[in-house]
Amino acid sequence: MKFSKQVLELDWEAKAASLSDGLKEAVLKKLRKRGLVVAVSGGIDSACVAALAVRALGPDRVFGLLLPERDSSGLSSKLGRELCEKLGIQYTLHDIAPVLEAAGCYSQRDAAVRSVFPEFQPDMKWKIVMHGDRLNTDALNVFYVVVQVDGQEQRFRLTPQAYVQIVAATNFKQRVRKMMEYFHADRLNFAASGTPNRLEYDQGFFVKLGDGSADVKPIASLYKTQTYKLARHLGVIDGILNREPTTDTFSLEQSQEDFYFSVHYSQLDLILWAKNHGITPEEVSPEMGLTPQQIQRVYDDIDQKRRTTAYLHAQPLLLEEVSELKPFKIS
């Protein structure tokens, strides 16, 4: 199979038809629910799922949730509202900051930052990042906190304990959002949607029992660039189509490459496709403008993330078999 930058191109109407038919069957027949709840973040993935759901089920069977918190960009809610209104779906905005405050999300997170930067104050803008150039080094990933002080960004290396405490605390955000989704899903007798694209699903870029939980994940087979193109075909608003992906988790804007992926999604999509189809780094290199060694580093990072995040996909372990439920599945 020959590799090129066109391998991710599809017939978008055919793909829209196929996924919408599959989503309709999944929600109405397999899950036996009346509709679908979608947490609309202002980003491309949830926008694509919402638009696909409207095509599959109609606007009356789709309910949108906007769930900002203290660190969310105001642009996210603005774009989320615009999308819901264009799609003609009912939606509600619920600020989850009070729940997070009560759960200790912000206080535990701030304490971890102060362990490496004692002068940190809650009103300072900040984020966490990995070390810079991962294409040209085999060094282990290490994490830093970047804090904006008097208009200048300062960088402090995180200890392992501080890093895991920040991640554990910020994971509250996705778990509280999913709790709200399931409240509305139960209230309406709707299904709860998941919005990961293929990169996020494959590479474990989600929170277990947070955005990783769902009754149906409509776009988990689509690479990120394919999600953008399908969303455009489905009529998603330009403000979202033209927006770069962001975690929208910290008060300083954080790209997905800052924190997790080794390269920009436009490159990673193609490299992941090549790896999935057995294409060697030497074959990929000329098309991508990267050396075979750089491609191999991305391949290795893909494998490493698959190994370390496999538990996110796993069902709970049972110590003894419950034979009566073993054959159970949704059909």
Side-chain angles (χ1 to χ4, degrees):
M1 185 176 297
K2 184 174 175 54
F3 174 75
S4 76
K5 290 185 177 180
Q6 283 68 53
V7 294
L8 298 178
E9 288 298 324
L10 299 172
D11 178 332
W12 300 111
E13 173 54 28
K15 178 56 68 175
S18 171
L19 289 178
S20 61
D21 287 348
L23 183 57
K24 183 176 182 178
E25 181 179 5
V27 171
L28 302 182
K29 295 184 179 179
K30 293 183 178 180
L31 295 168
R32 297 179 183 177
K33 298 295 184 178
R34 296 179 54 251
L36 191 69
V37 173
V38 183
V40 178
S41 69
I44 192 64
D45 299 315
S46 62
C48 187
V49 170
L52 187 66
V54 168
R55 171 161 174 159
L57 304 166
D60 294 341
R61 291 181 181 267
V62 182
F63 186 76
L65 277 178
L66 282 64
L67 299 168
E69 49 88 24
R70 186 179 298 171
D71 297 316
S72 300
S73 165
L75 179 61
S76 297
S77 293
K78 177 179 179 293
L79 292 173
R81 285 181 185 275
E82 289 177 7
L83 177 72
C84 290
E85 289 167 3
K86 180 179 181 183
L87 294 176
I89 64 174
Q90 287 193 328
Y91 69 93
T92 188
L93 184 147
H94 186 104
D95 184 352
I96 63 171
V99 179
L100 296 174
E101 181 74 50
C105 168
Y106 301 118
S107 61
Q108 293 289 341
R109 181 199 68 181
D110 293 351
V113 177
R114 285 194 199 96
S115 72
V116 298
F117 177 45
E119 293 78 19
F120 178 75
Q121 297 297 321
D123 61 349
M124 292 178 174
K125 292 187 178 295
W126 69 288
K127 64 181 177 180
I128 60 175
V129 299
M130 283 191 287
H131 68 77
D133 186 1
R134 281 167 282 151
L135 282 179
N136 296 305
T137 177
D138 293 317
L140 292 174
N141 288 335
V142 292
F143 289 86
Y144 297 82
V145 59
V146 176
V147 184
Q148 192 175 77
V149 182
D150 296 328
Q152 300 294 318
E153 290 188 356
Q154 297 186 28
R155 186 179 175 108
F156 307 90
R157 183 166 174 174
L158 288 168
T159 62
Q161 182 180 0
Y163 167 72
V164 296
Q165 184 163 320
I166 289 170
V167 172
T170 54
N171 282 352
F172 271 124
K173 299 181 180 187
Q174 299 302 336
R175 290 181 174 130
V176 169
R177 287 185 174 115
K178 190 57 64 171
M179 177 180 70
M180 296 303 300
E181 286 180 55
Y182 271 102
F183 164 73
H184 287 284
D186 290 347
R187 177 179 69 83
L188 296 165
N189 194 25
F190 279 19
S193 66
T195 62
N197 59 65
R198 191 182 192 116
L199 284 186
E200 295 169 347
Y201 187 71
D202 182 305
Q203 295 288 278
F205 191 53
F206 56 85
V207 176
K208 192 163 190 175
L209 301 182
D211 54 336
S213 295
D215 297 314
V216 59
K217 298 181 178 180
I219 61 169
S221 63
L222 295 182
Y223 292 87
K224 186 84 170 184
T225 46
Q226 293 177 326
T227 302
Y228 271 98
K229 291 185 177 182
L230 181 61
R232 183 177 296 279
H233 180 79
L234 292 168
V236 166
I237 61 174
D238 287 342
I240 291 176
L241 292 171
N242 297 330
R243 192 183 191 193
E244 274 290 302
T246 174
T247 61
D248 207 19
T249 298
F250 298 92
S251 51
L252 275 180
E253 187 168 306
Q254 180 197 53
S255 72
Q256 293 181 338
E257 315 78 270
D258 277 345
F259 174 65
Y260 199 75
F261 294 121
S262 54
V263 292
H264 190 265
Y265 76 86
S266 59
Q267 293 178 299
L268 186 54
D269 271 352
L270 290 163
I271 296 172
L272 179 60
W273 185 95
K275 179 174 174 56
N276 288 344
H277 290 82
I279 312 297
T280 67
E282 289 73 20
E283 294 173 277
V284 177
S285 171
E287 283 286 324
M288 297 303 300
L290 300 171
T291 68
Q293 186 178 27
Q294 289 172 323
I295 299 296
Q296 187 61 54
R297 285 193 179 105
V298 179
Y299 277 14
D300 291 343
D301 190 61
I302 290 168
D303 284 336
Q304 187 268 342
K305 284 182 169 61
R306 284 174 172 170
R307 288 191 301 270
T308 58
T309 65
Y311 77 97
L312 296 174
H313 296 278
Q315 294 295 313
L317 299 176
L318 301 183
L319 302 187
E320 295 182 329
E321 184 178 294
V322 183
S323 59
E324 293 82 2
L325 296 181
K326 188 176 180 180
F328 178 78
K329 63 180 181 178
I330 293 175
S331 60

